[in-house]
Amino acid sequence: MSKKLTSRSEDYSKWYNELVVKADLAENSAVRGCMVIKPYGYAIWEKMQAELDKMFKETGHQNAYFPLFVPKSLFEAEEKNAEGFAKECAIVTHYRLQNDPDKPGKLRVDPEAKLEEELIVRPTSEAIIWNTFRGWVQSYRDLPLLINQWANVVRWEMRTRLFLRTAEFLWQEGHTAHETKQQAVAEAELMNNVYATFVENFMAIPVIQGLKTESERFAGADETYCIEALMQDGKALQAGTSHFLGQNFAKAFDVKYANKEGKQDYVWATSWGVSTRLMGALIMTHSDDHGLVLPPSLAPNQVVIIPIYKSDEDLEAITEVANSIISDLRGKNISVKFDNRTTHRPGAKFAQHELQGVPLRLAIGARDLANGTVEIARRDTLTKEVVTLDSLNDKIEGLLKDIQNDLYKKALDFRNDHITEVETFEEFKTVLETKTGFISAHWDGTIETEDKIKELTKATIRCIPLEGKEEAGICVFSGNPSKRRVLFAKAY
Amino acid sequence: MSKKLTSRSEDYSKWYNELVVKADLAENSAVRGCMVIKPYGYAIWEKMQAELDKMFKETGHQNAYFPLFVPKSLFEAEEKNAEGFAKECAIVTHYRLQNDPDKPGKLRVDPEAKLEEELIVRPTSEAIIWNTFRGWVQSYRDLPLLINQWANVVRWEMRTRLFLRTAEFLWQEGHTAHETKQQAVAEAELMNNVYATFVENFMAIPVIQGLKTESERFAGADETYCIEALMQDGKALQAGTSHFLGQNFAKAFDVKYANKEGKQDYVWATSWGVSTRLMGALIMTHSDDHGLVLPPSLAPNQVVIIPIYKSDEDLEAITEVANSIISDLRGKNISVKFDNRTTHRPGAKFAQHELQGVPLRLAIGARDLANGTVEIARRDTLTKEVVTLDSLNDKIEGLLKDIQNDLYKKALDFRNDHITEVETFEEFKTVLETKTGFISAHWDGTIETEDKIKELTKATIRCIPLEGKEEAGICVFSGNPSKRRVLFAKAY
């Protein structure tokens, strides 16, 4: 709580890194690129998990658990997928340590304990899961197979940042198998929609649903759906992806089913995932120079009550009022914490809860007791008002709804203000250097143009928006004809 | 569902292996010793997790997440711990694959991508967590630190069995830091108690709380508390452990705090864990030759309703009754599944739900409709009765309670019938060969005697029961004096 945060305008990246650590969300560990998710950060992630898990189950999915390791021979079975992840995977080669004969008290890898086949620590689980699905699918009666897994995965990234890009991260990965192409496409679209609904309604982050271009697709997918959000610094963040995998994995792992006529065919597949990266999106969308701002739906404590007292008698009287408020709020399923620590002064508590983004702060002092009032402060607007005790419950309920809605509205206005249509490459570059955000531009559909633009500007095609309409135009870079606009941006 | 299970009397071990697979709980994977937990098995594990997590939070613990990997230098810091796990750990040595120049289309480990320091896949997380705690603890104000983690861990076991002993398993591991020895001991005892309460009340498995002998202690612990259960074949199973770690890890990782007088001291530690091994205990305690028997507290579906019909009209009328029952039961928080699959006959459904241990099965046919009745069958006793619709709700609620209690009572009676006090080594060996179960015997307290008995009989000291009273006696093996009885058994 000691020193002030770097401001966003001063150094956005530094602000983010400091905030994550100071708000007790996560920290770097002794393992290169791997983070420790601290209790406060983990409590937010648990709330996200609980809601997503409910949504997955409501759409017919079941959880299961598959091995952490993928034998190399399975890993390489689907070629494109293998190629996509080969350059960043952790590999287990041995299964035993022994005393180091040269260094007393130290251990070394036992050279005798070499695995016959190396094991890849899963960067994603298509390979091990599709190898398992072969035994689970015989006929159309076994389909659709709608499976989800909550797990850790490892991608040996060279440049890492807390939550946004870490060597190990937590995620869920859905893996489904279907009778027809149409059903698999519908599933991929459904789950992208589930993600959009969750991110908008619970995280209060507006997203654009779209399709990835071929070069930005998941390795092994025929089509990748995504939700794209915009951060306060004008950079885009891919918040979730849902892949239509065609029959690629079914063919690589020989997963066939007998249809109603008894004919054998390969099944159709999807996979979809969101990860602890969402924590990064949450932080960067709403927070300010004072610290974290949390939407009430995901705040571990929606309300904190701080007693302000000079005597034990005052504290006793305040505690009585606080307990009655707490009991009322809990009855309405509102989470509330009474911060009656004697080791910290009120000022330090105010600062801490502000930094940690608690949506509403109630302060109760001796004067409030006399007047039958409470001071209530909103974290998002930093505004305060004095409320009478008898109107407090309704007030809090109303404010929590307002905050949730206002955060979304504010992010949506910002996002909408930062979608710029451009017609020329000069405009394109100017927007990137000044206003930033999404650039809506015509593109000729070639990988060459996409690559060239990326090389020159660092902007990538974030998505081909699903809601975009056909519109004849001219590619902003090549001048060749284009049928629709796509969204470019610099991205996390 | 096709072929019948091997019976327990025929081959208990085969019965277990078949049951786990046929009841859709888990199966072996392509990775040696690692299992796939199937949706039905995972649903039971989720129920166990949810209840345990609630109990941990009610006792003041917070969840967090620490890296999967432990750098070798941290792993070896606490010597006894390192020694205990060195012989069975998976080791990551490289971080990239490349195309194999000798085998087109195949990948191989990139020899250039060798890690500077090997990473151990966590077999348990004391090392990485205590290295982190050093930054979290400065003064007594930071204590106690009460942390839990839900995670996967890897121990490269040579002989594995689904749930009971797998190379990768899921667990929770609590890690706490305290000001005083007394507080840490109290925490270790509290959490062992939490485990006992959970296993007895939710899993309906009676346990004996005790202390491990020195040779059976967790590597790095000063004292290991445990809960020991007895399986139907008379073998014991360690269902959970809670360790008082003294200042061993605090010293190895230099975790000190300033006490109220400003003096620096090492903190005191505990760790405690239960794992997917509990699934094995659950299966082996209650199940029978027909399949799984689940206590209602942990059954994914507590009730299944099966329609028995010849015409579409019958099905329609039965569905109406079923929907009304479902709505009533869900209102009472009873989970119920209406198995109206048209792809399976009633007989096949009966067999499947019996195999999968659904506590209550309701069958509704045309005659029931006419009579306003339902046939209700208990899975544990395999008894059936016909009940009128108007008494059904209370009946079901009552039966679910009865089943939960009866399962516990039955297991308790079996366990109590299988604790045999012996005075001589001849008796000891006879009991092991005939009745099996726990043997309560005097032991002289030496590792030599313990080892010798193990060598001769394969029985180990499961625990020194906490409730055991002082009682002067003579060691069953050495004839030397002993102060109390301990419990021996063959164990999983």
Side-chain angles (χ1 to χ4, degrees):
Chain A
M1 318 308 120
S2 47
K3 277 200 288 181
K4 271 189 73 173
L5 274 180
T6 296
S7 72
R8 287 164 296 171
S9 58
E10 200 180 326
D11 187 337
Y12 189 83
S13 174
K14 200 171 166 204
W15 165 82
Y16 174 81
N17 293 340
E18 282 182 12
L19 175 53
V20 170
V21 172
K22 289 190 182 218
D24 269 340
L25 300 172
E27 64 184 40
N28 286 306
S29 76
V31 189
R32 210 196 61 73
C34 293
M35 68 182 157
V36 172
I37 306 180
K38 298 182 77 174
Y40 192 65
Y42 200 83
I44 299 170
W45 173 242
E46 276 182 325
K47 287 198 150 250
M48 291 165 58
Q49 280 190 300
E51 189 56 38
L52 282 166
D53 198 69
K54 198 172 132 227
M55 293 174 88
F56 298 156
K57 284 175 177 155
E58 282 167 358
T59 44
H61 302 86
Q62 293 182 296
N63 288 331
Y65 187 76
F66 298 85
L68 169 68
F69 301 126
V70 187
K72 188 171 73 65
S73 57
L74 293 186
F75 183 82
E76 64 197 3
E78 208 294 321
E79 258 181 67
K80 282 192 184 163
N81 190 248
E83 198 183 307
F85 290 101
K87 296 212 168 30
E88 51 180 36
C89 55
I91 306 157
V92 175
T93 56
H94 292 74
Y95 59 85
R96 196 167 59 218
L97 293 166
Q98 61 177 194
N99 292 321
D100 190 331
D102 301 328
K103 296 177 192 158
K106 303 286 177 185
L107 299 167
R108 68 166 193 191
V109 174
D110 181 349
E112 304 282 302
K114 195 168 185 304
L115 291 170
E116 277 181 42
E117 181 179 12
E118 294 90 352
L119 299 173
I120 315 305
V121 181
R122 63 182 164 216
T124 180
S125 300
E126 277 76 8
I128 190 78
I129 288 181
W130 277 89
N131 187 60
T132 308
F133 277 4
R134 187 173 55 248
W136 292 8
V137 175
Q138 272 89 44
S139 89
Y140 69 93
R141 286 185 202 87
D142 303 317
L143 298 173
L145 197 52
L146 305 172
I147 302 293
N148 177 61
Q149 157 169 286
W150 290 96
N152 53 344
V153 285
V154 172
R155 297 177 186 176
W156 210 257
E157 305 272 3
M158 279 303 140
R159 296 188 55 188
T160 61
R161 284 187 75 187
L162 291 169
F163 290 125
L164 294 170
R165 198 173 290 278
T166 47
E168 181 192 15
F169 56 90
L170 303 183
W171 78 344
Q172 61 66 219
E173 46 183 325
H175 296 272
T176 71
H178 306 263
E179 286 182 64
T180 67
K181 175 177 177 176
Q182 200 183 7
Q183 286 165 5
V185 169
E187 166 79 7
E189 287 174 350
L190 172 70
M191 297 321 289
N192 205 56
N193 244 308
V194 164
Y195 289 155
T197 304
F198 168 75
V199 172
E200 299 201 325
N201 294 357
F202 287 85
M203 301 182 67
I205 303 176
V207 293
I208 293 168
Q209 292 197 54
L211 282 168
K212 288 287 180 191
T213 59
E214 196 186 331
S215 63
E216 297 274 337
R217 248 176 233 155
F218 176 74
D222 281 0
E223 202 73 270
T224 288
Y225 295 81
C226 64
I227 52 172
E228 294 284 327
L230 194 68
M231 304 297 98
Q232 292 180 51
D233 62 346
K235 283 169 81 174
L237 185 143
Q238 173 182 300
T241 49
S242 180
H243 318 293
F244 167 61
L245 303 173
Q247 294 178 315
N248 304 333
F249 287 90
K251 284 177 179 166
F253 292 95
D254 195 32
V255 184
K256 288 182 186 166
Y257 78 103
N259 67 17
K260 288 190 182 93
E261 289 75 43
K263 219 186 116 232
Q264 294 278 318
D265 196 5
Y266 290 109
V267 302
W268 297 84
T270 83
S271 68
W272 29 275
V274 295
S275 73
T276 37
R277 185 162 219 243
L278 284 178
M279 292 286 294
L282 184 71
I283 296 160
M284 287 204 293
T285 300
H286 304 302
S287 302
D288 62 24
D289 293 348
H290 301 267
L292 198 61
V293 174
L294 288 174
S297 292
L298 293 176
N301 298 306
Q302 295 173 310
V303 179
V304 62
I305 304 176
I306 298 173
I308 298 167
Y309 58 97
K310 287 186 184 134
S311 67
D312 285 353
E313 292 75 45
D314 279 0
L315 177 58
E316 213 169 293
I318 293 169
T319 301
E320 202 175 307
V321 173
N323 283 339
S324 146
I325 296 171
I326 290 168
S327 143
D328 286 350
L329 294 181
R330 291 200 177 140
K332 289 169 179 261
N333 252 327
I334 294 170
S335 57
V336 50
K337 181 192 173 94
F338 183 36
D339 188 353
N340 58 355
R341 286 175 297 169
T342 53
T343 43
H344 294 71
R345 289 168 179 281
K349 295 179 186 178
F350 280 36
Q352 182 190 341
H353 298 300
E354 191 168 281
L355 185 59
Q356 295 197 305
V358 181
L360 289 176
R361 180 187 77 213
L362 309 188
I364 311 177
R367 195 182 305 162
D368 293 304
L369 284 184
N371 298 341
T373 58
V374 171
E375 186 194 76
I376 184 162
R378 266 177 82 148
R379 172 63 186 88
D380 62 332
T381 54
L382 297 170
T383 51
K384 288 191 266 192
E385 60 183 307
V386 172
V387 178
T388 59
L389 272 173
D390 56 6
S391 65
L392 187 65
N393 288 335
D394 291 344
K395 182 76 190 175
I396 288 175
E397 223 174 357
L399 281 176
L400 290 174
K401 281 191 193 127
D402 290 349
I403 295 172
Q404 184 79 27
N405 293 334
D406 291 355
L407 286 177
Y408 179 76
K409 181 69 171 42
K410 192 177 163 197
L412 183 65
D413 287 346
F414 177 85
R415 199 278 311 274
N416 289 345
D417 280 349
H418 285 78
I419 304 179
T420 313
E421 288 200 358
V422 306
E423 310 304 331
T424 68
F425 197 54
E426 280 314 304
E427 282 182 83
F428 189 108
K429 287 186 287 187
T430 307
V431 171
L432 270 188
E433 277 157 29
T434 54
K435 195 178 179 188
T436 71
F438 288 116
I439 298 176
S440 174
H442 278 284
W443 163 61
D444 62 17
T446 68
I447 293 182
E448 294 70 38
T449 297
E450 193 180 0
D451 283 350
K452 199 75 196 169
I453 292 178
K454 185 176 175 181
E455 193 191 312
L456 292 169
T457 68
K458 290 189 182 149
T460 51
I461 300 178
R462 301 317 304 152
C463 70
I464 305 161
L466 293 187
E467 293 198 345
K469 51 190 183 308
E470 298 258 322
E471 176 198 296
I474 284 172
C475 175
V476 77
F477 185 77
S478 67
N480 290 331
S482 151
K483 282 191 196 147
R484 59 194 307 152
R485 289 175 182 274
V486 299
L487 291 178
F488 288 85
K490 291 190 190 168
Y492 280 96
Chain B
M1 318 309 120
S2 47
K3 276 202 289 178
K4 273 190 71 174
L5 274 180
T6 296
S7 72
R8 288 165 294 171
S9 58
E10 202 181 325
D11 187 336
Y12 190 83
S13 173
K14 198 170 166 206
W15 164 82
Y16 174 82
N17 294 339
E18 282 181 12
L19 175 52
V20 170
V21 172
K22 288 189 183 220
D24 269 341
L25 300 172
E27 63 183 42
N28 287 306
S29 77
V31 189
R32 210 196 61 70
C34 292
M35 67 181 156
V36 172
I37 306 180
K38 299 182 78 174
Y40 192 64
Y42 200 83
I44 298 169
W45 174 242
E46 276 183 325
K47 288 200 149 247
M48 290 166 55
Q49 281 190 298
E51 189 56 39
L52 283 165
D53 197 68
K54 200 174 130 224
M55 293 174 89
F56 298 156
K57 283 174 178 156
E58 281 168 359
T59 44
H61 302 85
Q62 293 183 295
N63 288 332
Y65 188 76
F66 298 85
L68 170 67
F69 301 126
V70 187
K72 188 171 72 67
S73 56
L74 294 185
F75 183 82
E76 64 197 4
E78 209 294 322
E79 258 183 68
K80 281 193 184 161
N81 191 248
E83 196 184 307
F85 290 100
K87 295 207 168 35
E88 51 179 36
C89 56
I91 306 156
V92 175
T93 56
H94 292 74
Y95 59 86
R96 193 165 62 217
L97 292 165
Q98 61 178 193
N99 291 321
D100 190 332
D102 301 328
K103 296 176 191 158
K106 302 286 176 184
L107 298 167
R108 68 166 193 192
V109 174
D110 181 349
E112 303 282 301
K114 197 170 184 302
L115 290 170
E116 276 181 43
E117 181 178 11
E118 295 90 352
L119 298 174
I120 315 305
V121 181
R122 64 182 163 214
T124 180
S125 299
E126 278 77 8
I128 189 78
I129 288 181
W130 277 88
N131 186 60
T132 308
F133 277 3
R134 187 174 53 248
W136 292 8
V137 175
Q138 272 89 43
S139 89
Y140 69 93
R141 286 185 203 85
D142 303 317
L143 298 172
L145 196 52
L146 305 172
I147 301 294
N148 177 60
Q149 157 169 283
W150 290 96
N152 53 344
V153 285
V154 172
R155 298 178 186 175
W156 209 257
E157 305 272 3
M158 280 301 140
R159 295 188 57 188
T160 60
R161 284 187 75 187
L162 293 167
F163 290 124
L164 295 170
R165 196 174 291 280
T166 47
E168 181 193 15
F169 55 91
L170 304 183
W171 79 344
Q172 60 67 220
E173 45 182 325
H175 295 273
T176 70
H178 306 263
E179 287 182 63
T180 67
K181 173 176 177 176
Q182 200 183 8
Q183 285 165 4
V185 169
E187 166 79 7
E189 287 174 351
L190 171 70
M191 297 321 289
N192 204 56
N193 244 309
V194 164
Y195 288 154
T197 304
F198 168 75
V199 173
E200 298 200 328
N201 294 357
F202 287 84
M203 301 182 67
I205 303 176
V207 293
I208 292 167
Q209 292 197 54
L211 283 168
K212 288 286 179 193
T213 59
E214 196 185 333
S215 62
E216 297 275 336
R217 249 177 233 154
F218 176 75
D222 281 0
E223 201 73 270
T224 288
Y225 295 81
C226 63
I227 52 172
E228 293 285 327
L230 194 68
M231 304 297 100
Q232 291 179 51
D233 62 345
K235 282 168 81 173
L237 185 144
Q238 174 183 301
T241 49
S242 180
H243 317 293
F244 166 62
L245 303 173
Q247 294 177 316
N248 303 333
F249 286 90
K251 286 178 179 166
F253 291 95
D254 195 31
V255 184
K256 288 182 186 168
Y257 78 105
N259 67 18
K260 288 189 182 95
E261 288 76 43
K263 218 185 118 233
Q264 293 278 318
D265 196 7
Y266 290 110
V267 301
W268 297 83
T270 82
S271 68
W272 29 274
V274 294
S275 74
T276 37
R277 183 161 221 244
L278 284 178
M279 291 286 294
L282 183 72
I283 296 160
M284 287 203 295
T285 301
H286 304 302
S287 302
D288 62 24
D289 293 348
H290 301 268
L292 198 61
V293 173
L294 288 174
S297 292
L298 293 176
N301 297 305
Q302 295 173 310
V303 178
V304 61
I305 303 177
I306 298 173
I308 298 167
Y309 58 96
K310 287 184 183 132
S311 68
D312 285 354
E313 292 75 50
D314 279 1
L315 177 59
E316 213 169 292
I318 293 168
T319 302
E320 203 176 305
V321 173
N323 283 339
S324 145
I325 296 172
I326 290 168
S327 145
D328 287 350
L329 294 181
R330 290 202 177 137
K332 289 171 179 260
N333 252 327
I334 293 170
S335 58
V336 49
K337 181 193 174 92
F338 183 37
D339 187 353
N340 60 355
R341 286 175 296 170
T342 54
T343 44
H344 294 72
R345 291 168 179 281
K349 294 180 186 176
F350 279 37
Q352 181 189 340
H353 298 300
E354 191 169 281
L355 185 59
Q356 295 196 306
V358 181
L360 289 176
R361 179 187 77 214
L362 309 189
I364 312 178
R367 195 182 307 163
D368 292 304
L369 285 183
N371 299 341
T373 58
V374 171
E375 186 195 78
I376 184 163
R378 268 177 80 149
R379 172 64 188 86
D380 62 331
T381 54
L382 298 170
T383 51
K384 288 190 267 192
E385 61 183 307
V386 173
V387 177
T388 59
L389 271 173
D390 56 5
S391 65
L392 186 64
N393 288 336
D394 292 344
K395 182 75 191 178
I396 288 175
E397 222 174 358
L399 281 176
L400 290 174
K401 281 191 193 127
D402 290 350
I403 296 172
Q404 184 79 28
N405 292 335
D406 291 356
L407 286 177
Y408 179 74
K409 180 70 170 46
K410 193 177 161 195
L412 183 65
D413 287 346
F414 178 84
R415 199 276 313 273
N416 288 345
D417 281 348
H418 286 76
I419 303 179
T420 313
E421 287 199 358
V422 306
E423 309 303 330
T424 68
F425 197 53
E426 280 313 305
E427 280 183 86
F428 189 107
K429 288 187 286 185
T430 307
V431 171
L432 271 188
E433 278 157 29
T434 54
K435 197 179 179 189
T436 70
F438 287 118
I439 298 175
S440 174
H442 277 285
W443 163 60
D444 62 18
T446 68
I447 293 182
E448 294 71 36
T449 297
E450 195 180 1
D451 283 351
K452 198 75 195 168
I453 292 178
K454 186 175 175 182
E455 193 190 312
L456 292 170
T457 67
K458 290 190 181 146
T460 50
I461 299 179
R462 302 317 304 152
C463 71
I464 305 161
L466 293 186
E467 293 199 345
K469 52 189 184 306
E470 299 258 322
E471 177 198 296
I474 284 171
C475 174
V476 77
F477 185 77
S478 69
N480 289 333
S482 151
K483 281 191 195 149
R484 59 195 304 152
R485 289 174 182 274
V486 298
L487 290 179
F488 287 86
K490 291 190 191 171
Y492 279 96

